[in-house]
Coordinates of all heavy atoms in Angstrom, one line a residue:
M1 N 0.8 -1.2 0.0 CA 0.0 0.0 0.0 C 0.9 1.2 0.0 O 1.9 1.3 0.7 CB -0.9 0.0 1.2 CG -2.0 -1.0 1.2 SD -3.1 -0.9 2.7 CE -2.2 -1.8 3.9
T2 N 0.5 2.2 -0.8 CA 1.2 3.5 -0.8 C 0.2 4.6 -0.9 O -0.9 4.4 -1.4 CB 2.1 3.6 -2.1 OG1 1.4 3.4 -3.2 CG2 3.3 2.6 -2.0
R3 N 0.6 5.7 -0.4 CA -0.3 6.9 -0.4 C 0.2 7.9 -1.4 O 1.4 8.2 -1.4 CB -0.5 7.5 1.0 CG -1.5 8.6 1.0 CD -1.8 9.1 2.4 NE -2.4 8.0 3.2 CZ -3.7 7.6 3.2 NH1 -4.5 8.2 2.3 NH2 -4.1 6.7 4.0
L4 N -0.7 8.4 -2.3 CA -0.3 9.4 -3.2 C -0.2 10.7 -2.4 O -0.7 10.8 -1.3 CB -1.3 9.6 -4.3 CG -1.6 8.4 -5.2 CD1 -2.7 8.7 -6.1 CD2 -0.4 8.0 -5.9
D5 N 0.6 11.7 -2.9 CA 0.7 13.0 -2.2 C -0.6 13.5 -1.8 O -1.4 14.0 -2.7 CB 1.5 14.0 -3.1 CG 2.9 13.5 -3.5 OD1 3.4 12.7 -2.7 OD2 3.3 13.8 -4.6
N6 N -0.9 13.5 -0.5 CA -2.2 14.0 0.0 C -3.4 13.4 -0.7 O -4.5 14.0 -0.8 CB -2.2 15.5 0.0 CG -1.2 16.1 0.9 OD1 -1.0 15.6 2.0 ND2 -0.6 17.2 0.5
G7 N -3.3 12.3 -1.3 CA -4.3 11.7 -2.1 C -4.8 10.3 -1.6 O -4.5 10.0 -0.4
P8 N -5.5 9.6 -2.4 CA -6.0 8.3 -1.9 C -4.9 7.3 -1.7 O -3.8 7.4 -2.2 CB -6.9 7.9 -3.1 CG -6.3 8.5 -4.3 CD -5.7 9.8 -3.8
E9 N -5.2 6.3 -0.9 CA -4.3 5.2 -0.6 C -4.4 4.2 -1.7 O -5.5 3.7 -2.0 CB -4.7 4.6 0.7 CG -3.7 3.5 1.2 CD -4.1 2.9 2.5 OE1 -5.2 3.2 3.0 OE2 -3.3 2.2 3.1
V10 N -3.3 3.9 -2.4 CA -3.3 2.8 -3.4 C -3.2 1.5 -2.7 O -2.2 1.2 -2.1 CB -2.1 3.1 -4.4 CG1 -2.0 1.9 -5.4 CG2 -2.2 4.4 -5.1
I11 N -4.2 0.7 -2.8 CA -4.3 -0.6 -2.1 C -3.7 -1.7 -2.9 O -3.1 -2.6 -2.4 CB -5.8 -0.9 -1.8 CG1 -6.4 0.2 -0.9 CG2 -5.9 -2.3 -1.2 CD1 -5.7 0.3 0.4
T12 N -3.9 -1.7 -4.3 CA -3.4 -2.8 -5.1 C -2.9 -2.3 -6.4 O -3.3 -1.2 -6.8 CB -4.5 -3.9 -5.2 OG1 -4.0 -5.0 -5.8 CG2 -5.7 -3.4 -6.0
E13 N -2.1 -3.1 -7.1 CA -1.7 -2.7 -8.4 C -2.0 -3.9 -9.4 O -1.9 -5.0 -9.1 CB -0.2 -2.6 -8.4 CG 0.4 -2.1 -9.8 CD 1.9 -1.8 -9.7 OE1 2.1 -0.6 -9.4 OE2 2.7 -2.6 -10.0
V14 N -2.5 -3.5 -10.6 CA -2.9 -4.4 -11.6 C -1.8 -4.3 -12.7 O -1.7 -3.2 -13.3 CB -4.3 -4.1 -12.2 CG1 -4.6 -5.0 -13.3 CG2 -5.3 -4.3 -11.1
D15 N -1.1 -5.3 -13.0 CA -0.1 -5.3 -14.1 C -0.8 -5.9 -15.3 O -0.9 -7.1 -15.4 CB 1.1 -6.1 -13.7 CG 2.2 -6.0 -14.7 OD1 2.0 -5.4 -15.8 OD2 3.4 -6.4 -14.4
A16 N -1.2 -5.0 -16.2 CA -1.9 -5.4 -17.4 C -1.1 -5.1 -18.6 O -1.6 -5.0 -19.7 CB -3.3 -4.7 -17.5
R17 N 0.2 -5.0 -18.4 CA 1.1 -4.8 -19.6 C 1.0 -6.0 -20.5 O 0.9 -7.1 -20.0 CB 2.5 -4.6 -19.1 CG 2.7 -3.2 -18.3 CD 4.1 -3.1 -17.8 NE 4.2 -4.0 -16.6 CZ 5.3 -3.9 -15.8 NH1 6.3 -3.1 -16.0 NH2 5.3 -4.7 -14.8
E18 N 1.1 -5.7 -21.8 CA 1.0 -6.7 -22.9 C -0.3 -7.3 -23.0 O -0.5 -8.2 -23.9 CB 2.1 -7.8 -22.6 CG 3.5 -7.3 -22.5 CD 4.0 -6.4 -23.6 OE1 3.6 -6.7 -24.8 OE2 4.7 -5.5 -23.3
L19 N -1.3 -6.9 -22.3 CA -2.7 -7.3 -22.5 C -3.4 -6.3 -23.4 O -3.3 -5.1 -23.3 CB -3.5 -7.5 -21.2 CG -2.9 -8.5 -20.2 CD1 -3.8 -8.5 -18.9 CD2 -2.9 -9.9 -20.8
R20 N -4.2 -6.9 -24.3 CA -5.0 -6.0 -25.2 C -6.3 -5.7 -24.6 O -6.9 -6.5 -23.8 CB -5.2 -6.8 -26.6 CG -4.0 -7.3 -27.2 CD -3.2 -6.4 -28.0 NE -4.0 -5.8 -29.1 CZ -3.7 -4.6 -29.6 NH1 -2.7 -3.9 -29.2 NH2 -4.5 -4.2 -30.6
C21 N -6.9 -4.5 -25.0 CA -8.2 -4.1 -24.5 C -9.2 -5.1 -25.0 O -9.1 -5.6 -26.1 CB -8.5 -2.7 -25.0 SG -7.6 -1.5 -24.1
P22 N -10.2 -5.4 -24.1 CA -10.6 -4.7 -22.9 C -10.0 -5.4 -21.6 O -10.4 -5.0 -20.5 CB -12.1 -4.9 -22.9 CG -12.3 -6.3 -23.5 CD -11.2 -6.4 -24.5
L23 N -9.0 -6.2 -21.7 CA -8.5 -6.9 -20.5 C -7.9 -6.0 -19.5 O -8.2 -6.3 -18.3 CB -7.5 -8.0 -20.9 CG -8.1 -9.2 -21.6 CD1 -7.0 -10.2 -22.1 CD2 -9.1 -9.9 -20.8
P24 N -7.2 -5.0 -19.8 CA -6.7 -4.1 -18.7 C -7.9 -3.5 -17.9 O -7.8 -3.5 -16.7 CB -5.9 -3.0 -19.4 CG -5.4 -3.7 -20.6 CD -6.6 -4.6 -21.1
L25 N -8.9 -3.1 -18.6 CA -10.1 -2.5 -17.9 C -10.8 -3.6 -17.1 O -11.2 -3.3 -15.9 CB -11.0 -1.9 -18.9 CG -12.2 -1.1 -18.3 CD1 -11.8 0.0 -17.4 CD2 -13.1 -0.6 -19.4
L26 N -11.0 -4.8 -17.6 CA -11.6 -5.8 -16.9 C -10.9 -6.2 -15.6 O -11.5 -6.4 -14.5 CB -11.8 -7.1 -17.7 CG -12.8 -6.9 -18.9 CD1 -12.8 -8.1 -19.8 CD2 -14.2 -6.6 -18.4
R27 N -9.6 -6.2 -15.7 CA -8.7 -6.5 -14.5 C -8.9 -5.4 -13.5 O -8.9 -5.6 -12.3 CB -7.3 -6.7 -14.9 CG -7.1 -7.9 -15.8 CD -6.6 -9.1 -15.1 NE -6.6 -10.3 -16.0 CZ -5.5 -10.8 -16.6 NH1 -4.4 -10.2 -16.3 NH2 -5.6 -11.9 -17.3
A28 N -8.9 -4.2 -14.0 CA -9.1 -3.0 -13.0 C -10.4 -3.1 -12.3 O -10.5 -2.8 -11.1 CB -9.0 -1.7 -13.8
K29 N -11.5 -3.4 -13.1 CA -12.8 -3.6 -12.5 C -12.8 -4.6 -11.4 O -13.4 -4.4 -10.3 CB -13.9 -3.9 -13.5 CG -14.3 -2.8 -14.4 CD -15.3 -3.4 -15.4 CE -15.9 -2.3 -16.2 NZ -16.9 -2.9 -17.2
Q30 N -12.2 -5.7 -11.6 CA -12.1 -6.8 -10.6 C -11.4 -6.3 -9.4 O -11.8 -6.6 -8.2 CB -11.3 -8.0 -11.2 CG -12.1 -8.8 -12.2 CD -11.3 -9.9 -12.8 OE1 -10.0 -9.8 -12.9 NE2 -11.9 -10.9 -13.3
A31 N -10.3 -5.5 -9.5 CA -9.5 -5.0 -8.4 C -10.4 -4.0 -7.6 O -10.3 -4.0 -6.4 CB -8.2 -4.4 -8.9
L32 N -11.1 -3.2 -8.3 CA -12.0 -2.2 -7.7 C -13.0 -2.8 -6.7 O -13.4 -2.2 -5.7 CB -12.7 -1.3 -8.7 CG -11.8 -0.2 -9.3 CD1 -12.5 0.4 -10.6 CD2 -11.4 0.9 -8.3
R33 N -13.5 -4.0 -7.1 CA -14.5 -4.7 -6.3 C -13.9 -5.1 -4.9 O -14.6 -5.4 -4.0 CB -15.0 -5.9 -7.0 CG -15.9 -5.6 -8.1 CD -16.6 -6.9 -8.6 NE -16.9 -6.7 -10.0 CZ -16.3 -7.4 -11.0 NH1 -15.5 -8.4 -10.8 NH2 -16.6 -7.1 -12.3
T34 N -12.6 -5.2 -4.8 CA -12.0 -5.7 -3.6 C -11.5 -4.6 -2.6 O -11.0 -4.9 -1.5 CB -10.7 -6.5 -3.9 OG1 -9.7 -5.7 -4.4 CG2 -11.0 -7.6 -4.9
I35 N -11.8 -3.3 -3.0 CA -11.3 -2.2 -2.1 C -12.5 -1.4 -1.7 O -13.6 -1.5 -2.2 CB -10.3 -1.3 -2.8 CG1 -10.8 -0.6 -4.0 CG2 -9.0 -2.2 -3.2 CD1 -9.9 0.4 -4.7
D36 N -12.3 -0.5 -0.7 CA -13.3 0.3 -0.2 C -13.4 1.7 -0.9 O -12.4 2.1 -1.5 CB -13.0 0.6 1.3 CG -13.1 -0.6 2.2 OD1 -13.9 -1.5 1.9 OD2 -12.4 -0.7 3.2
P37 N -14.5 2.3 -0.9 CA -14.6 3.7 -1.5 C -13.5 4.6 -0.9 O -13.2 4.6 0.3 CB -16.0 4.1 -1.1 CG -16.8 2.9 -0.9 CD -15.8 1.9 -0.3
G38 N -13.0 5.4 -1.8 CA -11.9 6.3 -1.4 C -10.5 5.7 -1.6 O -9.5 6.5 -1.5
Q39 N -10.4 4.4 -1.7 CA -9.1 3.8 -1.9 C -8.9 3.7 -3.4 O -9.8 3.8 -4.2 CB -9.1 2.4 -1.3 CG -9.2 2.4 0.2 CD -9.2 1.1 0.9 OE1 -9.7 0.1 0.3 NE2 -8.7 1.0 2.1
A40 N -7.7 3.4 -3.8 CA -7.3 3.4 -5.2 C -6.6 2.2 -5.7 O -6.0 1.4 -4.9 CB -6.4 4.6 -5.5
V41 N -6.7 2.0 -7.0 CA -6.0 0.9 -7.7 C -5.1 1.5 -8.7 O -5.5 2.5 -9.4 CB -7.0 0.0 -8.5 CG1 -6.3 -1.0 -9.3 CG2 -7.9 -0.7 -7.5
R42 N -3.8 1.1 -8.8 CA -2.9 1.5 -9.8 C -2.9 0.4 -10.9 O -2.7 -0.7 -10.6 CB -1.5 1.7 -9.3 CG -0.5 2.1 -10.3 CD 1.0 2.1 -9.8 NE 1.1 3.2 -8.8 CZ 1.4 3.0 -7.5 NH1 1.6 1.7 -7.1 NH2 1.6 4.0 -6.7
V43 N -3.0 0.9 -12.2 CA -3.1 0.0 -13.3 C -1.9 0.3 -14.2 O -1.7 1.5 -14.6 CB -4.4 0.1 -14.1 CG1 -4.5 -0.9 -15.2 CG2 -5.6 -0.1 -13.1
L44 N -1.2 -0.7 -14.7 CA -0.1 -0.5 -15.7 C -0.6 -1.2 -16.9 O -1.0 -2.4 -16.9 CB 1.2 -1.2 -15.2 CG 1.7 -0.8 -13.8 CD1 2.9 -1.7 -13.4 CD2 2.0 0.7 -13.8
A45 N -0.6 -0.5 -18.0 CA -1.0 -1.0 -19.3 C -0.1 -0.5 -20.4 O 0.5 0.5 -20.3 CB -2.5 -0.6 -19.6
T46 N -0.1 -1.3 -21.5 CA 0.7 -0.9 -22.7 C -0.1 -0.7 -23.9 O 0.3 -0.2 -24.9 CB 1.8 -2.0 -23.0 OG1 1.2 -3.3 -23.0 CG2 2.9 -1.9 -22.0
D47 N -1.4 -1.0 -23.9 CA -2.3 -0.9 -25.0 C -2.8 0.6 -25.1 O -3.4 1.1 -24.2 CB -3.5 -1.8 -24.9 CG -4.4 -1.9 -26.1 OD1 -4.2 -1.0 -27.0 OD2 -5.2 -2.8 -26.2
A48 N -2.5 1.2 -26.3 CA -2.9 2.6 -26.5 C -4.4 2.8 -26.3 O -4.9 3.8 -26.0 CB -2.4 3.1 -27.8
G49 N -5.2 1.8 -26.7 CA -6.7 1.8 -26.5 C -7.1 2.0 -25.1 O -8.3 2.4 -24.9
S50 N -6.3 1.7 -24.2 CA -6.7 1.8 -22.8 C -7.0 3.2 -22.3 O -7.7 3.4 -21.4 CB -5.6 1.1 -21.9 OG -4.4 1.9 -21.9
V51 N -6.3 4.2 -23.0 CA -6.6 5.6 -22.6 C -8.0 5.9 -22.8 O -8.7 6.4 -21.8 CB -5.7 6.5 -23.5 CG1 -6.0 8.0 -23.2 CG2 -4.2 6.3 -23.3
R52 N -8.6 5.6 -23.9 CA -10.0 5.9 -24.1 C -10.9 5.1 -23.2 O -11.8 5.6 -22.6 CB -10.4 5.6 -25.6 CG -11.8 5.8 -26.0 CD -12.1 5.2 -27.4 NE -12.0 3.7 -27.3 CZ -11.0 3.1 -28.0 NH1 -10.2 3.7 -28.8 NH2 -11.0 1.8 -27.9
D53 N -10.6 3.8 -23.0 CA -11.4 2.9 -22.2 C -11.4 3.4 -20.7 O -12.5 3.4 -20.1 CB -10.8 1.5 -22.2 CG -11.1 0.8 -23.6 OD1 -11.8 1.4 -24.4 OD2 -10.5 -0.2 -23.8
F54 N -10.3 3.8 -20.2 CA -10.2 4.2 -18.8 C -10.9 5.5 -18.5 O -11.6 5.7 -17.5 CB -8.8 4.2 -18.2 CG -8.3 2.8 -17.8 CD1 -7.7 2.0 -18.7 CD2 -8.5 2.4 -16.5 CE1 -7.3 0.7 -18.3 CE2 -8.1 1.2 -16.1 CZ -7.5 0.3 -17.0
R55 N -10.8 6.4 -19.5 CA -11.5 7.7 -19.3 C -13.0 7.5 -19.3 O -13.7 8.1 -18.5 CB -11.1 8.7 -20.4 CG -9.7 9.2 -20.3 CD -9.3 10.1 -21.5 NE -7.9 10.5 -21.4 CZ -7.3 11.1 -22.4 NH1 -7.8 11.3 -23.5 NH2 -6.0 11.5 -22.2
A56 N -13.5 6.7 -20.3 CA -14.9 6.5 -20.4 C -15.4 5.7 -19.2 O -16.5 6.0 -18.7 CB -15.2 5.7 -21.7
F57 N -14.7 4.7 -18.8 CA -15.1 3.9 -17.6 C -15.2 4.8 -16.4 O -16.2 4.7 -15.6 CB -14.2 2.8 -17.4 CG -14.4 2.1 -16.1 CD1 -15.5 1.3 -15.9 CD2 -13.5 2.2 -15.0 CE1 -15.8 0.7 -14.7 CE2 -13.7 1.5 -13.8 CZ -14.9 0.8 -13.7
A58 N -14.2 5.6 -16.1 CA -14.3 6.5 -14.9 C -15.5 7.4 -15.0 O -16.2 7.6 -14.0 CB -13.0 7.3 -14.8
D59 N -15.8 8.0 -16.2 CA -16.9 8.9 -16.3 C -18.2 8.1 -16.1 O -19.1 8.6 -15.4 CB -16.9 9.5 -17.7 CG -15.9 10.6 -17.8 OD1 -15.4 11.1 -16.8 OD2 -15.6 11.0 -19.0
L60 N -18.4 7.0 -16.7 CA -19.6 6.3 -16.6 C -19.9 5.7 -15.3 O -21.0 5.7 -14.8 CB -19.7 5.1 -17.7 CG -19.8 5.6 -19.1 CD1 -19.6 4.4 -20.1 CD2 -21.1 6.3 -19.4
A61 N -18.8 5.1 -14.7 CA -19.0 4.4 -13.4 C -18.9 5.4 -12.2 O -19.3 5.0 -11.1 CB -17.9 3.4 -13.2
G62 N -18.4 6.6 -12.4 CA -18.4 7.6 -11.3 C -17.1 7.5 -10.5 O -17.0 8.1 -9.4
H63 N -16.2 6.7 -10.9 CA -14.9 6.6 -10.2 C -14.0 7.7 -10.6 O -14.1 8.3 -11.7 CB -14.2 5.2 -10.5 CG -15.0 4.0 -10.1 ND1 -15.4 3.8 -8.8 CD2 -15.4 3.0 -10.8 CE1 -16.1 2.7 -8.8 NE2 -16.1 2.2 -10.0
G64 N -13.0 8.0 -9.8 CA -12.1 9.1 -10.1 C -10.9 8.5 -10.8 O -10.4 7.5 -10.5
L65 N -10.5 9.2 -11.9 CA -9.3 8.9 -12.6 C -8.3 9.9 -12.1 O -8.1 11.0 -12.6 CB -9.5 9.0 -14.1 CG -8.3 8.5 -15.0 CD1 -7.8 7.1 -14.6 CD2 -8.6 8.6 -16.4
E66 N -7.6 9.5 -11.0 CA -6.7 10.4 -10.3 C -5.5 10.8 -11.1 O -5.0 11.9 -11.0 CB -6.3 9.8 -8.9 CG -5.5 10.6 -8.0 CD -6.3 11.7 -7.3 OE1 -7.6 11.6 -7.2 OE2 -5.7 12.7 -6.8
R67 N -4.9 9.8 -11.8 CA -3.7 10.0 -12.5 C -3.7 9.2 -13.8 O -4.2 8.1 -13.8 CB -2.5 9.6 -11.6 CG -1.2 10.0 -12.3 CD 0.0 9.7 -11.4 NE -0.1 10.6 -10.2 CZ 0.6 10.4 -9.1 NH1 1.4 9.3 -9.0 NH2 0.5 11.2 -8.1
E68 N -3.1 9.8 -14.8 CA -3.0 9.2 -16.1 C -1.6 9.6 -16.7 O -1.5 10.8 -17.1 CB -4.1 9.6 -17.0 CG -4.1 9.0 -18.4 CD -5.2 9.5 -19.3 OE1 -6.3 9.8 -18.8 OE2 -4.9 9.7 -20.4
D69 N -0.6 8.8 -16.6 CA 0.7 9.1 -17.1 C 1.2 8.0 -18.1 O 0.6 7.0 -18.1 CB 1.7 9.1 -15.9 CG 1.5 10.2 -14.9 OD1 1.1 11.3 -15.3 OD2 1.6 9.9 -13.7
R70 N 2.2 8.4 -18.7 CA 2.8 7.4 -19.7 C 4.4 7.4 -19.6 O 5.0 7.8 -20.6 CB 2.4 7.6 -21.1 CG 2.8 6.5 -22.0 CD 2.3 6.7 -23.4 NE 2.8 5.6 -24.2 CZ 3.0 5.7 -25.5 NH1 2.8 6.8 -26.1 NH2 3.5 4.7 -26.1
P71 N 4.9 7.1 -18.5 CA 6.4 7.1 -18.4 C 6.9 5.8 -19.1 O 6.4 4.8 -18.9 CB 6.7 7.1 -16.9 CG 5.5 6.5 -16.3 CD 4.3 6.8 -17.2
D72 N 8.0 6.0 -19.8 CA 8.7 4.8 -20.5 C 7.7 3.9 -21.3 O 7.9 2.7 -21.3 CB 9.4 4.0 -19.4 CG 10.4 4.8 -18.6 OD1 11.0 5.7 -19.2 OD2 10.5 4.6 -17.4
G73 N 6.7 4.5 -21.9 CA 5.9 3.7 -22.8 C 4.8 2.8 -22.1 O 4.1 2.1 -22.7
V74 N 4.7 3.0 -20.8 CA 3.7 2.2 -20.0 C 2.7 3.2 -19.5 O 3.0 4.2 -18.8 CB 4.3 1.5 -18.8 CG1 3.3 0.8 -18.0 CG2 5.3 0.4 -19.3
Y75 N 1.4 3.0 -19.8 CA 0.4 3.8 -19.3 C 0.1 3.5 -17.8 O 0.0 2.3 -17.4 CB -0.9 3.6 -20.0 CG -0.8 4.0 -21.5 CD1 -0.5 3.0 -22.5 CD2 -1.0 5.3 -21.9 CE1 -0.4 3.4 -23.8 CE2 -0.9 5.7 -23.2 CZ -0.6 4.7 -24.2 OH -0.5 5.0 -25.5
V76 N 0.1 4.5 -17.0 CA -0.2 4.3 -15.5 C -1.4 5.1 -15.2 O -1.5 6.2 -15.4 CB 1.0 4.8 -14.7 CG1 0.7 4.6 -13.2 CG2 2.3 4.1 -15.1
Y77 N -2.4 4.3 -14.6 CA -3.7 4.9 -14.2 C -3.9 4.7 -12.7 O -3.5 3.6 -12.2 CB -4.9 4.2 -14.9 CG -4.7 4.3 -16.4 CD1 -4.3 3.1 -17.1 CD2 -5.1 5.4 -17.2 CE1 -4.2 3.2 -18.5 CE2 -4.9 5.4 -18.5 CZ -4.5 4.3 -19.2 OH -4.4 4.3 -20.6
I78 N -4.4 5.7 -12.1 CA -4.8 5.6 -10.7 C -6.3 5.8 -10.7 O -6.8 6.9 -10.9 CB -4.1 6.6 -9.8 CG1 -2.6 6.5 -9.9 CG2 -4.6 6.4 -8.3 CD1 -2.0 5.3 -9.3
L79 N -7.0 4.7 -10.3 CA -8.5 4.8 -10.2 C -8.9 4.8 -8.8 O -8.5 3.9 -8.0 CB -9.1 3.5 -10.9 CG -9.2 3.5 -12.4 CD1 -9.6 2.2 -12.9 CD2 -10.2 4.6 -12.9
V80 N -9.7 5.8 -8.4 CA -10.2 5.9 -7.0 C -11.7 5.4 -7.0 O -12.5 6.0 -7.7 CB -10.1 7.3 -6.5 CG1 -10.6 7.4 -5.1 CG2 -8.6 7.8 -6.6
K81 N -11.9 4.4 -6.2 CA -13.3 3.9 -6.1 C -14.2 4.9 -5.5 O -13.9 5.5 -4.4 CB -13.3 2.6 -5.3 CG -14.6 1.9 -5.2 CD -14.5 0.6 -4.5 CE -15.9 -0.1 -4.6 NZ -15.8 -1.5 -4.1
S82 N -15.4 5.1 -6.1 CA -16.4 6.0 -5.5 C -17.3 5.4 -4.5 O -17.3 4.2 -4.4 CB -17.2 6.6 -6.7 OG -17.9 5.6 -7.4

């Protein structure tokens, strides 16, 4: 577990690198079911289609997309459960 700077506590990490969409999103959804509201999941993905999927999912499901980065060719998402 790690805490983001004054942000939510990251409870678990999903390593979805090398998986094609929609698998990164499906794995993230599974992880979100295991945590409490206000806690976060960090997702690592390499599929460029994941950008669109994670933005749409966060909007539709009401979860927060706290961070979206792409260091070293790996997309890193922080999803906060609502």
Side-chain angles (χ1 to χ4, degrees):
M1 290 184 273
T2 58
R3 185 170 299 281
L4 300 176
D5 300 332
N6 295 322
E9 184 178 13
V10 175
I11 300 299
T12 190
E13 182 171 276
V14 174
D15 187 350
R17 291 176 285 191
E18 306 305 324
L19 297 178
R20 307 277 302 155
C21 285
L23 289 176
L25 185 58
L26 293 174
R27 299 263 172 100
K29 285 179 168 181
Q30 289 174 332
L32 284 167
R33 285 190 212 115
T34 68
I35 64 174
D36 295 327
Q39 294 177 329
V41 172
R42 179 184 294 117
V43 183
L44 307 175
T46 50
D47 187 349
S50 66
V51 174
R52 179 190 64 246
D53 290 349
F54 276 88
R55 288 176 184 167
F57 171 68
D59 286 342
L60 290 172
H63 299 303
L65 185 55
E66 185 77 19
R67 187 174 296 165
E68 179 184 325
D69 293 320
R70 189 178 177 210
D72 302 323
V74 175
Y75 297 94
V76 179
Y77 305 100
I78 305 292
L79 283 168
V80 181
K81 185 173 183 174
S82 59

